Amino acid sequence: MLLLFLSLVAVLELAHRLPLIPAFAEMSACSRRSLRTIRRGRVSEWVKERALQLLARRLFARSIRAGALLVAVASPLLAVLALHYAMGDDLDWATRLGVVPLTLGYALLRWQVAPALRRRVQPR
């Protein structure tokens, strides 16, 4: 149970430190731009096709980056689950559900309570 908790803490820390959300936002912005390009009316079809080819390459690169970041963030949890599976030790639902409140409590303390306390304690 401790190993599962530590892997979830590592997942939370990696998600907080790596630019995961901005990577998906960039991918979404590129997708919106390609939709605007398709809807553009007074441009020749050749120009639209060339622009869409470039946007498709850009969208592919950004989706690969976002997917790699997502795998990097999830890798500690995946490693622990693979280790449990390789050992033949199955994580029961009671263990999984017991770790969830601990992990949520850690996240709450780490990113909500601690910054508020730091702001309150600092001299003005």
Side-chain angles (χ1 to χ4, degrees), residues 61-113:
R62 289 184 177 158
S63 67
I64 292 294
R65 179 177 181 259
L69 284 171
L70 190 62
V71 168
V73 165
S75 62
L77 181 62
L78 295 175
V80 167
L81 292 176
L83 179 68
H84 275 283
Y85 180 75
M87 290 177 16
D89 186 24
D90 190 22
L91 287 173
D92 58 342
W93 283 103
T95 303
R96 292 178 192 179
L97 291 176
V99 169
V100 170
L102 293 173
T103 307
L104 291 176
Y106 170 81
L108 180 72
L109 287 173
R110 175 78 166 92
W111 290 294
Q112 297 296 321
V113 175

Side-chain angles (χ1 to χ4, degrees), residues 1 28 32 36 46 50-51 70 87 94 104:
M1 184 166 149
S28 178
R32 283 191 305 271
R36 283 193 308 265
W46 183 83
R50 180 69 181 141
L70 190 62
M87 290 177 16
L104 291 176

